[in-house]
Each structure stands twice: as C-alpha cells, then as structure tokens.
Amino acid sequence: MVSVPPDDLHLDDSAGKPKEACGVFGLYSREAAGELAQRTYFGLYAMQHRGQESAGIAISDGERTLAMRDMGLVSQVFDEQKLASLEGGHIALGHVRYSTTGSASWENAQPEFHGRGDVNVFVAHNGNLVNTAALRRELEEEGFEFESTSDTAAIAACAVGELEEGHSVAEAVLRTMRRLEGAYSVAMVFRDKLVAFRDPHGFRPLCIGKIEGGHAVSSETCGLDIIGAGFLREIEPGEVVVIDDEGLKSYRAESPRRALCVFEYVYFARPDSRFDGREVAHSRQRMGEILAEEAPAEADVVIPVPDSGIMAAVGYSQGSGIPYAEGLIKNRYVGRTFIQPADSMRQLGLRLKLNPLPSVIEGKRVVVIDDSIVRGNTARKLVGLLFEAGAAEIHFRVSSPPVTGPCYYGIDMDTKEGLVGANFTVEEIREQIGATTLAYLSVDGMVAATEQKKSHLCRACFDGEYPITGTAQKFALENAAVADAVVGES
Ligand code: 5GP
Ligand code: MG
C-alpha cells in the first residue's frame, strides 16, 4: 500500500492554506434601481477569487432592506429567480467571504445585519480587526448581544451604538473607526445611505466607480469593469465616503498611514485589477523580470504554475531570454466542492488538478515559477510530478520572498507553525521540495515591482514589520479571550 501524507488527500488547494481576503461591493443609483441585485451579482462574480465560502446580497429602498446570503459560490447561492426577488431598491450591498475571524458557518455569512430599536445597519467587511475581543466586551457592557462570532458583527454593533446617539452617519462612522484597530475595508447600508470606509492603513483595497445616476464601491477595479462602471478613484486610507441622493461626500478620520497588503500584488488581487492606476498583472510581470536578474538559471524553458504563476513566468522569460511555455495543464473546474477520490486514486494527488505536458518537459532544464511558497506542499508535489514527466533539472523560482510571519490583517495564516519559510532555510526548503535549485525574489525586488514606496506597503508576512505596534500580542490576547468565551459558552 502506498502511504499518503494527509495533505495529499486534499485536492482542493485551499485546504489548510492561507485563505483569501474577502470581497466587498456596493451600488447606489435610483436610475438603475430594478437591476442592482443583478449588477451586484456580477460584481461579486468578478471577485469570486477573494472568497469562495459564502456570498450575500442586500438591497434597500432606503426604508426596507432585503438580504440573502448562504454558503457557497456566488453562482451557487443566487439564481435569476432569487435575484429578481431581491430587486426593487436603489441601494445594494454585496459580499464574498472567506472566514478569517469567526467560524465558517451560515450565521457568519455577510452582509452582516445588526439592529436595535429603529437603528439597523447592514455591513460588508474585508479585513480583520486585532481588537475584536476587547471591543466585543465593551459592546456587551453597552448592552449589545451577538449572534455571530465575527469581528464584522462588532463593527456593525459599534456603528449602531454611535448612530443611536443621534450623530450624523459620517460622524457615527468616524467615531466607530476610532474604536477599531486592524484592517477594515467596509461598505455599509444605513437607511437611505451607502457608506464606505477604509482603515487608516488601507490594508485592504477599496475603490469607487461611477454608474448612471450614482456610484459603485468595490474591493477591486475588476468588480467595476464587469458592470461597465467607470473608475473614479480609490477610497483613501482613513477616509469615509457617504453616498446618497445628494451625491458623494468624503470625510477624513485619521491621517493615513498607508500600508496596502503587498500580498494583494503577489497573489490575491485579480491580475486585471488596478492599484494606483497600475495593473496588478504588470507588477507581477515585473516581479518575474526582477527575479530573473536576482536569481538567474541556466535552463531551456520557463513554465508557470497556473494560474497564479503565469504573469511572473512571462516576466522571467522576458528578463532571462529563456523561452516561455505552458508545461502544466490545470483543470480549472477543481474547486472546493470537489468529491474526495477513492483510496485507489488518492496517490494521483495533485495530478487531478495539474497535469504535466511531457513534450514540453522531457529532457529539459526547466525553470518553474510560482507566486509564493506558503506551506511548501504544492512545490514539493510539483517537483515530483515534473521529474516524473522527464525533467532533467528543476530550477524552482518564487516571485515573492519566503513567507516568514503570520498575518493578522485579513489573511488566514495566523501562526508560524505551518509556514515553511518561517522554520527552514532556503537550502533546507530546496532539499524538502527536491528541486535542483531554489530561489526567491527579495523584499526590495518585490517592492520595486509594485512601484509603491516601501513604507506604503504592509510587508509583515515577509519581513516581520507589523504596521500596528503590538499586533502579535493583541492577537494572542484576542485568541485567548475567544478561547475563554468558547469555553464559557459550552
Ligand atoms: P503551499 O506552499 O502552501 O503548498 O502553496 C503555495 C501555492 O498556494 C502557490 O501556488 C500560491 O499560488 C497558492 N496560494 C498562496 N496564497 C494562497 C491563498 O491564500 N489561498 C489559496 N487557495 N492559495 C494560495
Ligand atoms: Mg498557485
């Protein structure tokens, strides 16, 4: 019998892996009322890569809000009939989710609702707070009860509390933001307003677009493109935007500290999305070019690990002059709901998802480009697969630096244990994955490829510089508090 390590049983490549951030979407337009649910559906559909666990849409006419949310992909949660039953309002809110705080259950699907008396809000959040536990305790003392375990529930309750005080919406959100610590790009519906705000670091992206008679809000520009919305601008770190019949008004919370997650450039964002007017694809290609300068290889062919390695492989090929080829064919339909194969098939492992093309690989010295190594399992299995397919040498090149630290700002990799780059040297990792050579892009090379200032990017998972001081301690406290709460509940 062949013994298979447990992770080989998961063909779903997200199993045990860091999980994507979430996707947030919002629309405001009386002119387009009647098709906002459908447009929100498409906006979310374009941002499915940001979260495949649950999806939800809320539609409001300024007085009444209808919401539908469930576990699953956007196309599984909604169909034409359901969308039609939501239509009617002129304000829409949408969300795709991957749980980072709170469990992967239906109750935690978003948009999150919180109401007390006649003050009700719907909230869609991307990011992760680092002070959820403390904030929830405070809010509980203020009389709030929570049905959901997410940090988003705390944001929603906080906003309700401030709105109850009779502040204007903008003032209530500014006051809410003063109580939040961590990463939050949020879209929220309150009565006749769509509100969008971003934490002072701007860890997660959020932008505004223009549609007929109104505005759109989207985590990524690809969400605007798909519905034909014109890109207006990014929401600034620390900015609150209030959209209603009077148009769009902007307010500043704190002076921005700017720390957009660099992993958005490396992996998360769709290549056709734009940050600061520059395509993510362009940055990824630059990462490959710079990698070719920093870590050249004598080889016959450059192949990407599809899809995430494609842009960087193109760049590596252009930078090195080594021809580019597709040497691995990906089955694009292997998803989270993949049926676990019978025991006799399990040894095929990764092959069900990626199958090598021997004609491209046989007898060749192959440069393999992937965007990142997190746990190291993908790289190890791939190298095995490619040698089996006849590769003479495998020069594994990674278009980001070793992931050495946890993320507390919205990527679900919150412990060091699973991160191969945190526990082994590059040479040890090379040995583990079995490659002929292994090299990563440098932190400075990665930063240069984004064309952003280094100080304007959060690089914590690569170089340990956490933009919020004491993040790890706060997070540990938080985990302890959550564990206490869970023990207390049972
Ligand atoms: P690992 O080293 O954990 O086995 O896997 C690295 C691979 O996972 C790379 O191909 C990279 O594209 C992909 N990856 C990196 N971050 C994430 C993530 O957050 N979610 C998922 N599903 N894959 C990721
Ligand atoms: Mg990948």
Side-chain angles (χ1 to χ4, degrees), residues 13-14 17-20 263 267-268 308 370-378:
D13 82 338
S14 58
K17 250 195 208 155
K19 293 171 178 174
E20 284 85 332
F263 219 75
Y267 171 82
F268 286 142
S308 57
D370 205 356
D371 67 283
S372 57
I373 292 184
V374 182
R375 294 174 309 161
N377 292 325
T378 308

Side-chain angles (χ1 to χ4, degrees), residues 27-58:
L27 293 172
Y28 189 105
S29 167
R30 287 193 189 269
E31 235 176 282
E35 49 176 79
L36 289 195
Q38 203 192 57
R39 289 198 204 181
T40 303
Y41 171 88
F42 285 117
L44 294 178
Y45 196 74
M47 293 194 290
Q48 186 74 79
H49 62 287
R50 295 187 71 84
Q52 292 113 53
E53 207 166 80
S54 68
I57 296 177

Side-chain angles (χ1 to χ4, degrees), residues 428-483:
E428 285 166 341
I429 299 169
R430 186 203 61 75
E431 227 179 280
Q432 286 176 23
I433 68 173
T436 313
T437 67
L438 168 68
Y440 290 82
L441 183 63
S442 68
V443 170
D444 286 341
M446 170 180 68
V447 169
T450 67
E451 296 174 56
Q452 295 277 7
K453 277 193 195 150
K454 192 172 183 176
S455 60
H456 286 181
L457 293 167
C458 177
R459 318 158 317 261
C461 63
F462 295 119
D463 68 6
E465 274 188 42
Y466 291 88
I468 299 176
T469 41
T471 297
Q473 293 84 327
K474 276 181 198 138
F475 198 79
L477 276 175
E478 167 136 324
N479 275 348
V482 170

Side-chain angles (χ1 to χ4, degrees), residues 101-436:
T101 301
S103 57
S105 64
W106 181 86
E107 293 78 23
N108 279 329
Q110 294 185 25
E112 171 86 36
F113 169 74
H114 208 104
R116 196 158 74 166
D118 62 348
V119 178
N120 301 312
V121 297
F122 281 85
V123 170
H125 167 217
N126 170 203
N128 190 51
L129 298 188
V130 297
N131 69 333
T132 312
L135 186 60
R136 277 179 68 123
R137 261 195 311 278
E138 285 173 28
L139 289 163
E140 274 162 5
E141 278 164 23
E142 293 164 26
F144 285 101
E145 285 168 25
F146 292 96
E147 271 157 37
S148 134
T149 55
S150 74
D151 53 348
T152 310
I155 298 178
C158 205
V160 167
E162 298 296 346
L163 286 162
E164 281 176 341
E165 303 277 306
H167 304 294
S168 69
V169 177
E171 183 57 26
V173 171
L174 292 171
R175 293 172 73 99
T176 298
M177 287 170 77
R178 274 178 227 134
R179 299 177 70 180
L180 309 178
E181 261 189 277
Y184 51 94
S185 280
V186 174
M188 179 178 101
V189 175
F190 171 64
R191 291 187 185 149
D192 60 342
K193 292 176 187 353
L194 174 66
V195 189
F197 52 99
R198 204 170 162 203
D199 67 78
H201 288 93
F203 283 109
R204 301 282 147 216
L206 193 62
C207 65
I208 318 172
K210 187 92 192 92
I211 56 173
E212 76 275 26
H215 292 93
V217 168
S218 180
S219 287
E220 292 186 33
T221 58
C222 67
L224 300 180
D225 293 345
I226 197 173
I227 60 157
F231 173 79
L232 208 57
R233 63 178 177 86
E234 285 173 20
I235 294 183
E236 292 293 312
E239 182 183 3
V240 181
V241 165
V242 178
I243 301 165
D244 59 16
D245 281 342
E246 288 170 20
L248 183 152
K249 289 201 190 80
S250 161
Y251 306 81
R252 293 300 149 123
E254 294 171 69
S255 49
R257 275 160 266 161
R258 286 190 190 281
L260 176 63
C261 166
V262 75
F263 219 75
E264 294 276 352
Y265 284 95
V266 169
Y267 171 82
F268 286 142
R270 238 170 71 155
D272 54 337
S273 282
R274 300 173 298 278
F275 296 136
D276 268 350
R278 194 157 286 103
E279 270 174 14
V280 170
H282 174 78
S283 300
R284 289 192 186 150
Q285 195 182 325
R286 281 293 294 150
M287 286 173 194
E289 270 172 30
I290 298 171
L291 182 59
E293 284 164 30
E294 289 184 352
E298 294 226 349
D300 306 305
V301 66
V302 177
I303 69 166
V305 179
D307 293 315
S308 57
I310 292 176
M311 300 296 161
V314 168
Y316 194 98
S317 166
Q318 285 170 351
S320 63
I322 304 168
Y324 171 95
E326 303 269 347
L328 288 161
I329 300 305
K330 180 176 176 174
N331 182 336
R332 298 207 156 82
Y333 305 97
V334 177
R336 287 177 63 77
T337 51
F338 198 79
I339 293 167
Q340 289 301 310
D343 280 348
S344 60
M345 277 183 74
R346 281 183 177 175
Q347 55 196 290
L348 296 176
L350 191 66
R351 194 182 287 260
L352 288 172
K353 199 182 151 192
L354 288 172
N355 201 25
L357 280 174
S359 62
V360 172
I361 289 154
E362 240 165 30
K364 301 273 174 54
R365 299 168 302 171
V366 184
V367 176
V368 181
I369 309 279
D370 205 356
D371 67 283
S372 57
I373 292 184
V374 182
R375 294 174 309 161
N377 292 325
T378 308
R380 195 187 70 245
K381 287 184 248 174
L382 269 176
V383 169
L385 213 62
L386 291 168
F387 272 132
E388 232 176 84
E393 292 173 6
I394 295 171
H395 303 280
F396 211 96
R397 296 290 179 270
V398 187
S399 60
S400 64
V403 176
T404 52
C407 175
Y408 306 110
Y409 311 125
I411 306 176
D412 191 18
M413 45 185 198
D414 60 15
T415 61
K416 267 196 162 188
E417 280 141 49
L419 305 173
V420 71
N423 298 296
F424 299 97
T425 63
V426 174
E427 174 51 22
E428 285 166 341
I429 299 169
R430 186 203 61 75
E431 227 179 280
Q432 286 176 23
I433 68 173
T436 313

